[in-house]
Amino acid sequence: MRTSPSVYLNVTSCIVNAIAYIVNAIAYIVNATAYIVNAMACIVNAMACIVNATAYIVNATACIVNVMACIVKSRQTSAVL
């Protein structure tokens, strides 16, 4: 009893489809990895942004303290005069 050509065709198409699914799965993994890398870069940038914002707040606070000290000194000086 011989195997009909359609069985070979079905097996071949099944193998081709399986290979296509594997290739697609690999492509999805690569894309997912790229998204994760981008997300990590985004998180690093956000952290740098927070650090910079904190530095600005510290500098602004120091500036306000200096201005207030200056105002107090000028009042003391004018009171003496």
Side-chain angles (χ1 to χ4, degrees):
M1 189 170 148
R2 283 179 36 141
T3 308
S4 69
S6 66
V7 171
Y8 288 119
L9 252 168
N10 283 342
V11 170
T12 305
S13 71
C14 202
I15 291 168
V16 169
N17 282 339
I19 291 169
Y21 280 124
I22 291 168
V23 169
N24 281 338
I26 291 169
Y28 279 123
I29 290 167
V30 168
N31 283 340
T33 306
Y35 280 123
I36 290 167
V37 168
N38 283 339
M40 285 175 154
C42 231
I43 290 167
V44 169
N45 284 340
M47 286 174 150
C49 218
I50 290 167
V51 168
N52 284 340
T54 307
Y56 280 125
I57 290 167
V58 169
N59 284 341
T61 306
C63 204
I64 290 166
V65 169
N66 283 340
V67 168
M68 290 176 119
C70 213
I71 290 168
V72 168
K73 276 187 183 175
S74 69
R75 284 192 175 170
Q76 285 172 347
T77 306
S78 63
V80 169
L81 293 176

